[in-house]
Amino acid sequence: MSGLAGLYQQVILDHSREKHGFGLEPTADASSHQLNPTCGDQLTLQLHASDGVISSVTWEGAGCSISMASASLLSDLAPGLSLDDARERIALFRELMHSRGAGIDDEDELLGDAIVLEGVSKYVARVKCAMLAWVALEADLAQLDASR
Amino acid sequence: MPLPAGTTTELARPLTDDDVLLLRRDFPALQQQVNGHELVYLDSGATSQKPISVLDAERSFYERENSAVHRGAHTLAANATELFENARTTVARFVGARENEIVWTSNATEGLNLIAYGMSNASVGRGGADAARFVLTEGDEILTTEGEHHANLVPWQELAARTGATLRHIPVDDDGTLRMEEAERLITDRTKLVTFTHVSNVTGVINPVEELVRMAHAVGALVVLDACQSAPHRVLDLAALDVDFAVFSGHKMLAPTGIGVLYGRAELLDALPPFLTGGSMITTVTLEASGYLPAPQRFEAGTQKVSQAIALAAAIDYLSAVGMDRIERWETELGARLVDGFSAIPGVRVLGPAAGVHRAGLASVDVEGVHAHDVGQFLDDRGIAVRVGHHCAQPLHRRFGVTASTRASAYLYNTTADVDAAIDGMAAVREFFGVTS
Ligand SMILES: Cc1ncc(COP(=O)(O)O)c(C=O)c1O
């Protein structure tokens, strides 16, 4: 799919409205706040984990459809992943975002539905929007490491 | 100087779409396709496109006169200096000032910082008794507004922090106009400086300069005018407006980046301590201390933006040949058309004055249920360039209850068809993102 339809696939528009994982819990094992100062997008993302496995990711924030959909897709993907797996998926997603439309071979399925964000990689200015939630999760994982 | 292509000699006749299409031929960047559509450039509030005469002026300087100005005795240096100083004259005439009241800066932001740091330096005793009126201490107040670009806010926050002065602001109404009864209350004997934008880069509101100047001068306060969104678009006479300082940027008025202007009343500029110091701004230098040249040179330390200043003069020649009065009228028409069109779209809220109220040729909107970034992306797909985000005015966006907006801003090279394309695009946004109810 090319052009606007490739960027804003229906799955993305749906997630941007449905926002899976939206709503913060009173406590979390780690939490971080991320801000994109150029456009004002921001979100707080909580990590809930036990025995080295993510049980859920919850978040609240405001921003464009890409940043919101990306957070929603991440909270679908994360549950059940080990902390190391989560780190690996973040790295893979970053690689996808920096692929400038080329995508990543083979390992697509590791990202689940989040692969629909591939179209964002053609729009360099929007990569930051898609990365926002993933950078937040990365910060949460670092917090867990530091507190261990 | 030959008139730019497309200009007519009947200067009083209002511009028409046909005139504008002729003018547009002078702008190479406007002759391109974006995403398969003819480019519709509606982001001149951020930065303008450049006509060939401006590009040629800069290139021609480098092909002929290029050399160091105000230094050296050779012919090229003399010719370069002459062009550079003629450019200053062109700018001075354009805004109703004298040559020694025009200081080159790199942009408006630097101009505002120059004033703030000059006052800061005066406040620690630099500049002696002559600079007394720039001294700020605890109890003094700097007054700005809720509607400023960050460039006319942050430097004053810093100045207040360095001097102990208090920064206050005139609030705006729901429609973005200044609450003048609050201005009346806030401008007191404690007020030392009042600084505000002439035209808002978010709402297009045209602030009542004369009234604010009268109120500020009645208490002996200095007035700084941010003319970034007025100098490129309107007839501007700074002496008649009676402001003490004003700033604007060349890149928003057909000139290259890297050149801006600070205007200051001569006696003020000669008394204000310098901001940047070094070569070219001194009289006698010893190992211990230095004397400084009068304005404007005392503010022009180091190698100057020579080709850019010359290109700015070419830009002003272009604007003047078309006629600032005609440009102002044309853009008023485009602004009204934008606001009428946007306001008629369900779910689209225009920030600032309602349709029918006089404003500059720009409009920012909030689209219910669709983030500005997505609106901008959608329009870009149709080849329409607009600005999204907070436009460097976070406090004003907060006042309107939004974090970001989408702004369409017109210039002399935009047609009514450009405006209509933006309106048509805007009307299709909510359906595309599936938020129509
Ligand atoms: C009202 C206003 N003031 C100040 C500025 C700052 O101009 P510059 O970035 O060229 O210094 C701008 C430009 O965005 C503006 O619109």
Side-chain angles (χ1 to χ4, degrees):
Chain A
M1 249 179 289
S2 67
L4 217 52
L7 177 62
Y8 293 114
Q9 296 189 36
Q10 196 55 46
V11 187
I12 295 178
L13 295 181
D14 292 345
H15 270 275
S16 75
R17 279 191 301 272
E18 289 161 16
K19 297 182 183 164
H20 299 174
F22 196 85
L24 296 177
E25 302 287 342
T27 61
D29 296 299
S31 174
S32 83
H33 181 78
Q34 299 292 329
L35 170 73
N36 182 348
T38 49
C39 60
D41 286 6
Q42 53 182 312
L43 63 77
T44 301
L45 188 133
Q46 294 175 323
L47 172 61
H48 311 275
S50 58
D51 301 330
V53 176
I54 296 178
S55 48
S56 68
V57 160
T58 49
W59 61 280
E60 273 181 18
C64 67
S65 62
I66 301 296
S67 65
M68 297 294 100
S70 186
S72 175
L73 286 157
L74 177 60
S75 64
D76 278 358
L77 177 72
L81 293 182
S82 73
L83 303 183
D84 282 339
D85 278 349
R87 262 184 279 269
E88 186 197 332
R89 308 299 162 97
I90 293 168
L92 200 60
F93 186 74
R94 180 173 278 125
E95 191 188 328
L96 176 70
M97 285 302 105
H98 292 144
S99 71
R100 290 183 176 258
I104 42 170
D105 303 329
D106 311 333
E107 297 154 310
D108 293 28
E109 72 281 3
L110 289 176
L111 292 175
D113 283 349
I115 197 71
V116 297
L117 289 163
E118 176 173 343
V120 176
S121 69
K122 280 189 218 154
Y123 296 83
V124 179
R126 305 304 295 277
V127 167
K128 264 193 172 162
C129 313
M131 284 304 302
L132 200 64
W134 302 68
V135 168
L137 180 59
E138 197 170 40
D140 285 355
L141 290 167
Q143 264 178 39
L144 273 194
D145 276 352
S147 66
R148 229 185 286 160
Chain B
M1 196 202 80
L3 286 179
T7 52
T8 135
T9 47
E10 301 164 66
L11 286 184
R13 190 173 63 73
L15 285 171
T16 63
D17 276 324
D18 287 342
D19 296 330
V20 171
L21 286 172
L22 281 176
L23 289 179
R24 194 181 275 197
R25 292 190 194 161
D26 300 330
F27 293 79
L30 296 176
Q31 326 289 324
Q32 58 180 313
Q33 294 220 328
V34 169
N35 296 323
H37 299 270
E38 290 298 324
L39 170 64
V40 173
Y41 188 78
L42 286 169
D43 196 18
S44 298
T47 200
S48 64
Q49 299 301 345
K50 326 300 176 197
I52 289 170
S53 61
V54 167
L55 306 178
D56 283 350
E58 196 163 14
R59 184 185 180 95
S60 153
F61 171 77
Y62 282 118
E63 287 179 347
R64 279 182 273 269
E65 295 86 8
N66 179 46
S67 55
V69 301
H70 293 308
R71 296 170 191 178
H74 59 80
T75 301
L76 263 56
N79 292 346
T81 304
E82 192 181 339
L83 279 178
F84 182 63
E85 290 306 324
N86 285 348
R88 199 190 302 274
T89 306
T90 302
V91 172
R93 289 205 181 118
F94 186 67
V95 296
R98 286 175 279 153
E99 283 89 345
N100 59 345
E101 297 178 317
I102 298 297
V103 176
W104 301 120
T105 63
S106 48
N107 50 36
T109 303
E110 188 191 314
L112 292 163
N113 276 279
L114 188 158
I115 304 166
Y117 275 94
M119 294 182 72
S120 196
N121 292 341
S123 302
V124 294
R126 303 298 299 153
D130 286 351
R133 64 176 309 178
F134 301 115
V135 173
L136 292 176
T137 56
E138 230 156 288
D140 289 340
E141 294 180 0
I142 303 166
L143 187 62
T144 176
T145 88
E146 199 176 9
E148 298 307 308
H149 187 284
H150 298 159
N152 199 22
L153 177 61
V154 183
W156 309 116
Q157 292 174 342
E158 285 291 320
L159 177 62
R162 287 195 301 273
T163 58
T166 304
L167 179 64
R168 297 197 182 284
H169 66 267
I170 306 169
V172 301
D173 249 321
D174 292 346
D175 68 354
T177 55
L178 290 178
R179 292 180 51 186
M180 293 306 285
E181 79 287 359
E182 284 294 305
E184 196 93 54
R185 194 179 64 76
L186 286 160
I187 298 176
T188 68
D189 289 343
R190 288 188 296 278
T191 313
K192 293 293 175 295
L193 182 97
V194 180
T195 180
F196 55 91
T197 193
H198 192 174
V199 173
S200 164
N201 65 317
V202 177
T203 60
V205 162
I206 302 153
N207 282 324
V209 181
E210 286 93 341
E211 207 178 334
L212 287 162
V213 166
R214 190 179 43 70
M215 289 159 67
H217 284 172
V219 298
L222 294 166
V223 175
V224 177
L225 185 71
D226 177 351
C228 271
Q229 297 293 343
S230 58
H233 304 285
R234 314 170 60 77
V235 178
L236 188 64
D237 186 336
L238 294 171
L241 288 176
D242 200 24
V243 296
D244 298 298
F245 295 100
V247 298
F248 50 94
S249 284
H251 69 92
K252 292 182 196 285
M253 50 195 296
L254 313 186
T257 51
I259 187 73
V261 173
L262 165 72
Y263 159 85
R265 285 200 293 115
E267 67 270 28
L268 291 175
L269 282 185
D270 280 336
L272 185 69
F275 165 36
L276 300 176
T277 55
S280 303
M281 48 80 71
I282 45 75
T283 49
T284 307
V285 175
T286 67
L287 286 174
E288 290 73 33
S290 304
Y292 303 135
L293 287 165
Q297 274 75 29
R298 73 155 63 202
F299 299 106
E300 295 176 358
T303 300
Q304 287 299 296
K305 304 151 271 280
V306 182
S307 67
Q308 295 96 321
I310 290 163
L312 173 56
I316 288 176
D317 286 341
Y318 188 96
L319 291 169
S320 301
V322 178
M324 289 309 293
D325 49 343
R326 297 171 84 209
I327 293 171
E328 183 176 332
R329 268 158 81 186
W330 180 244
E331 291 181 24
T332 301
E333 215 175 291
L334 295 181
R337 194 179 181 98
L338 264 178
V339 173
D340 287 349
F342 285 163
S343 330
I345 305 169
V348 171
R349 170 167 73 114
V350 175
L351 307 181
V357 180
H358 186 62
R359 60 152 77 216
L362 63 90
S364 301
V365 299
D366 176 46
V367 181
E368 194 190 326
V370 186
H371 192 274
H373 238 116
D374 296 319
V375 177
Q377 194 83 60
F378 178 80
L379 295 177
D380 179 65
D381 193 59
R382 297 178 167 215
I384 304 167
V386 295
R387 173 87 186 262
V388 299
H390 49 60
H391 323 314
C392 300
Q394 286 183 21
L396 186 59
H397 277 80
R398 213 165 285 131
R399 171 67 177 79
F400 292 135
V402 294
T403 52
S405 65
T406 306
R407 178 184 72 192
S409 53
Y411 208 179
L412 76 163
Y413 40 60
N414 287 116
T415 58
T416 55
D418 291 346
V419 167
D420 293 348
I423 295 167
D424 290 346
M426 196 65 81
V429 165
R430 292 182 80 236
E431 191 184 339
F432 178 83
F433 288 99
V435 293
T436 40
S437 39

